[in-house]
Amino acid sequence: MHGREWLVEAHGCDPAALADVETLRRLFDRIVRELSLHPVAPAQWHRFPGPGGVTGLCMLAESHLACHTFPEHGSICLNLFCCRPRPEWDWDGELRALLNADQVTVRAVERPYAAAVPALAE
C-alpha cells in the first residue's frame, strides 16, 4: 500500500481569482468531489491584507489539501496528499479554466509506507 502526493504550481493566473476565497473554495470543492475525498472539517481560509493572497487548508480523512496563492506573481501552489491511491485529476485543465492559468506544473510523488526490503543474496 502506498499514498500519493501531488505538488502543483500554476503561473499566469488571474490575480483577482487568486485573491478570492470563493473561487478557491469552488476549486477545493471540485477536487474533493471528483476525487471522492472525505473532509473531516470545513476548509479553513486566511486572506492576507492588501494585495496579499490566500492560504487554504482542508483536513481530509485521506490526509490534506492545501493552497497558497500569490496574486502579485499570478501563481498558486497546491498540495494534495492522499493515503490511498486516487485516479489522476486534470489539474492542468481545471486550473486553466478556473484561474486562467497559462502554465501548470504537476509533480506526483509516490509515498510508500513500508521500507523497501533488500533482496537476499543468493
Side-chain angles (χ1 to χ4, degrees), residues 10-29:
H11 298 274
C13 300
D14 174 13
L18 295 175
D20 183 50
V21 171
E22 286 310 311
T23 298
L24 299 169
R25 189 183 319 273
R26 283 194 307 275
L27 174 62
F28 271 36
D29 289 347

Side-chain angles (χ1 to χ4, degrees), residues 4-85:
R4 178 176 279 185
E5 186 170 7
W6 286 270
L7 306 167
V8 182
E9 288 95 20
H11 298 274
C13 300
D14 174 13
L18 295 175
D20 183 50
V21 171
E22 286 310 311
T23 298
L24 299 169
R25 189 183 319 273
R26 283 194 307 275
L27 174 62
F28 271 36
D29 289 347
R30 178 174 254 151
I31 293 168
V32 165
R33 183 180 63 253
E34 293 181 6
L35 290 175
S36 300
L37 301 172
H38 302 91
V40 298
Q44 296 295 303
W45 301 94
H46 175 73
R47 171 86 170 80
F48 290 91
V54 176
T55 293
L57 175 65
C58 183
M59 291 182 6
L60 304 168
E62 296 81 5
S63 193
H64 68 269
L65 170 62
C67 77
H68 305 281
T69 71
F70 303 90
E72 69 274 23
H73 300 295
S75 66
I76 183 172
C77 299
L78 289 146
N79 176 250
L80 172 61
F81 182 84
C82 290
C83 63
R84 54 191 172 104

